Amino acid sequence: MEEDEDDHHRRQKVSHSLRIMEAVGQIAKLRRAANIGKRKERRGKDLLEDYFIPNIVFRDHVFRRRLRMQRSLFDKIMSAVCNHDPYFVQKDDAFHVLGLLPEQKITAAL
């Protein structure tokens, strides 16, 4: 009879502990952060307009000051890196959305 009481008491303790752990788990439940719109397409377009298309915003001396190289050297590096490693080539993702431009990836890597 005493064993039954001890067993019952033990089950109540475990049950109480489980309820406390579940309550704490609900309070401290990790939540996934909301997706942040990174506007990568707009930023890539801005980078191209600023430095790489014929009607650029910033001239060669600004490009050289910011990236520490001439644009022609950057173009050679970009060409060589894109030919060597397919990571740097712009591709579609699973949702058929274009990824980052090679200029964005290489600028970030530099």
Side-chain angles (χ1 to χ4, degrees):
M1 184 135 169
E2 282 183 27
E3 288 180 21
D4 289 338
E5 287 179 18
D6 287 341
D7 192 39
H8 177 70
H9 185 66
R10 226 179 274 125
R11 274 190 253 132
Q12 279 185 324
K13 276 183 158 179
V14 169
S15 175
H16 180 70
S17 298
L18 287 174
R19 282 183 282 164
I20 290 174
M21 290 173 59
E22 287 175 0
V24 169
Q26 290 298 321
I27 293 169
K29 192 174 203 176
L30 293 175
R31 291 184 176 91
R32 184 171 177 230
N35 291 336
I36 299 171
K38 296 180 176 67
R39 299 184 300 259
K40 61 184 174 186
E41 297 88 12
R42 179 69 193 152
R43 290 186 177 156
K45 184 180 175 198
D46 289 345
L47 180 69
L48 290 177
E49 288 175 354
D50 289 347
Y51 297 110
F52 295 103
I53 62 173
N55 296 328
I56 57 175
V57 174
F58 298 107
R59 299 289 168 216
D60 288 336
H61 69 280
V62 178
F63 182 91
R64 185 174 171 84
R65 186 178 71 223
R66 290 194 178 160
L67 293 173
R68 304 286 185 206
M69 67 180 78
Q70 294 177 354
R71 186 174 295 125
S72 60
L73 178 59
F74 182 89
D75 291 337
K76 287 178 185 177
I77 291 171
M78 186 175 68
S79 161
V81 167
C82 288
N83 289 332
H84 176 73
D85 190 351
Y87 167 78
F88 288 95
V89 178
Q90 186 180 28
K91 298 178 277 295
D92 289 352
D93 63 7
F95 296 104
H96 302 290
V97 177
L98 282 176
L100 296 174
L101 295 168
E103 290 87 355
Q104 288 175 289
K105 293 178 181 181
I106 292 175
T107 301
L110 291 174

